[in-house]
Amino acid sequence: IRQTLGLQDLPIVAITANAMQSDRDACVAAGINEHVGKPFDLQHLIAVVRSLLGKTESAAASAVESQLSANITDTAAQAGVDLEQALQFMAGQQELYERLLPMFLETLMAMPEQLHTLLSQGDSQAASRLLHSLKGLAGQMGVTALALAAAKGEQQLAGTPSAEQASAAVQQACQVIVKAESGLLALQQAFAAQSAEVV
């Protein structure tokens, strides 16, 4: 972007699931203006972007106060979803979470097959990268156990694991993925039921 396109003054923000200082330093060394770790707080990201654009005055809060029914709260708890934290990341925008949930579920449902395909091709590095992406997405959606399992699988598949080690890592990750799916489907249904009541 800097060299090929010549966009020296374009503000660039890196958003990654790794938030260690070494990751931040590597991003800055590569020419990034700012680094935001996932899961990120939407208001923090907005503040970073506004700062890079020279808009130092505080923006009006765009958060929408969420109206969570007891059914949704209970369903989220049973699914192991920290909905309060996820909504905090999204500035309280429940509607945004509801829109992202089916997309996240679609990604999740395709992942076991993708992981097994990569494993059959002997590409543990690509499987590790896939779990790295899942780690950030799951954290953003408040599915903490899944984010932790993805992080563990990512580490186990990094480097040069044996075929047995890679297979075990993928199997463990897939078990947590499948378990998360059922809880998230129930949560999606709870949101749909609440929307139907409102209408």
Side-chain angles (χ1 to χ4, degrees):
I1 292 172
R2 299 282 188 226
Q3 296 173 1
T4 307
L5 302 180
L7 300 174
Q8 299 301 320
D9 299 324
L10 177 72
I12 301 175
V13 180
I15 302 178
T16 75
N18 283 341
M20 295 185 295
Q21 189 58 47
S22 58
D23 297 308
R24 296 175 187 274
D25 294 342
C27 287
V28 172
I32 299 294
N33 295 90
E34 290 285 352
H35 178 283
V36 176
K38 292 192 294 185
F40 61 86
D41 182 289
L42 183 58
Q43 290 303 319
H44 172 64
L45 179 60
I46 290 171
V48 167
V49 172
R50 289 178 62 82
S51 174
L52 290 172
L53 295 175
K55 298 180 182 293
T56 54
E57 73 277 9
S58 60
S62 59
V64 177
E65 196 172 319
S66 60
Q67 301 290 327
L68 297 175
S69 68
N71 183 40
I72 287 178
T73 304
D74 292 344
T75 306
Q78 290 170 11
V81 175
D82 188 341
L83 196 51
E84 220 172 276
Q85 183 182 28
L87 290 175
Q88 187 175 358
F89 289 145
M90 298 178 192
Q93 297 184 49
Q94 181 181 323
E95 186 180 318
L96 175 59
Y97 188 92
E98 289 183 59
R99 283 204 318 265
L100 292 175
L101 184 55
M103 291 186 277
F104 178 58
L105 266 166
E106 187 177 340
T107 299
L108 211 55
M109 289 175 176
M111 202 160 284
E113 185 179 347
Q114 291 173 335
L115 286 168
H116 284 296
T117 299
L118 291 170
L119 198 63
S120 68
Q121 295 169 348
D123 197 345
S124 60
Q125 294 301 305
S128 179
R129 289 193 297 273
L130 189 59
L131 288 173
H132 172 83
S133 297
L134 175 59
K135 175 178 65 175
L137 285 170
Q140 198 74 34
M141 296 300 290
V143 196
T144 309
L146 181 57
L148 292 172
K152 182 180 178 183
E154 176 194 0
Q155 290 175 350
Q156 290 172 331
L157 291 168
T160 53
S162 67
E164 292 78 15
Q165 289 171 327
S167 179
V170 166
Q171 191 59 38
Q172 288 173 357
C174 287
Q175 286 174 354
V176 181
I177 288 171
V178 170
K179 183 179 178 182
E181 278 177 22
S182 59
L184 290 169
L185 279 167
L187 182 57
Q188 185 180 25
Q189 290 166 358
F191 275 123
Q194 177 177 272
S195 297
E197 287 175 10
V198 171
V199 173

